[in-house]
């Protein structure tokens, strides 16, 4: 099987969901002290801030099949990319603690959705003759 550019692009897109969740986990772990000082957070509020992306990821993974079936996986993945953009800009310019938590949740929706839809999309790239050993 030859590797073409479409296969490479699709594989990269499918891998980004898991990569971004791991990256988000590492970034938030390094900013907990600054977040606590900036927003005057209690330990419970800090926990909510950190967990907001995880809650979004769970919900996004549970519900991603709905737009994936209705609008197609590719268009739904594009919508997930828009959620990433909205989340990153919102977190960067968060004007209050509640907006930061909201935009982290939105990012989690994108991560969860792309974690489900990305592998489903790349699965369709397998050869139709049943050979799956790339």
């Amino acid at each position: 099987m030859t590797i073409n550019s479409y296969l490479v692009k699709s594989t990269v897109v499918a891998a980004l969901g898991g990569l971004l969740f791991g990256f988000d986990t590492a970034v938030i772990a390094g900013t907990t002290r600054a977040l606590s000082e900036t927003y005057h957070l209690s330990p419970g509020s800090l926990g909510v801030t950190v967990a907001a992306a995880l809650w979004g990821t769970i919900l996004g993974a549970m519900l991603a099949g709905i737009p994936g079936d209705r609008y197609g996986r590719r268009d739904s993945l594009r919508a997930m990319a828009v959620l990433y953009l909205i989340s990153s800009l919102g977190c960067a310019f968060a004007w209050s603690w509640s907006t930061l938590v909201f935009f982290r949740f939105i990012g989690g929706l994108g991560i969860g959705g792309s974690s489900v839809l990305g592998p489903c999309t790349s699965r369709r790239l397998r050869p139709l003759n049943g050979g799956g050993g790339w």
Side-chain angles (χ1 to χ4, degrees):
M1 176 175 168
T2 61
I3 297 178
N4 59 33
S5 64
Y6 181 73
L7 176 63
V8 172
K9 289 177 191 176
S10 297
T11 303
V12 169
V13 168
L16 281 177
L19 173 72
L20 289 174
F21 185 69
F23 181 72
D24 177 73
T25 302
V27 168
I28 197 68
T31 62
T32 54
R33 181 176 297 204
L35 287 173
S36 295
E37 293 172 1
T38 301
Y39 295 111
H40 309 291
L41 300 178
S42 68
S45 297
L46 180 61
V48 169
T49 306
V50 171
L54 180 59
W55 294 334
T57 301
I58 293 168
L59 191 61
M62 289 172 53
L63 300 177
I66 297 169
D69 289 341
R70 183 171 293 160
Y71 305 110
R73 292 180 186 102
R74 182 180 292 170
D75 289 338
S76 297
L77 279 170
R78 288 183 179 131
M80 299 303 135
V82 171
L83 290 179
Y84 288 139
L85 178 65
I86 291 169
S87 173
S88 62
L89 292 174
C91 288
F93 299 110
W95 52 91
S96 68
W97 172 72
S98 58
T99 58
L100 177 67
V101 171
F102 173 76
F103 285 116
R104 282 188 52 74
F105 180 79
I106 295 296
L109 289 174
I111 291 168
S114 63
S115 294
V116 169
L117 294 172
C120 290
T121 302
S122 66
R123 182 183 63 82
R124 296 181 64 211
L125 300 174
R126 269 191 33 214
L128 294 177
N129 64 3
W134 295 11

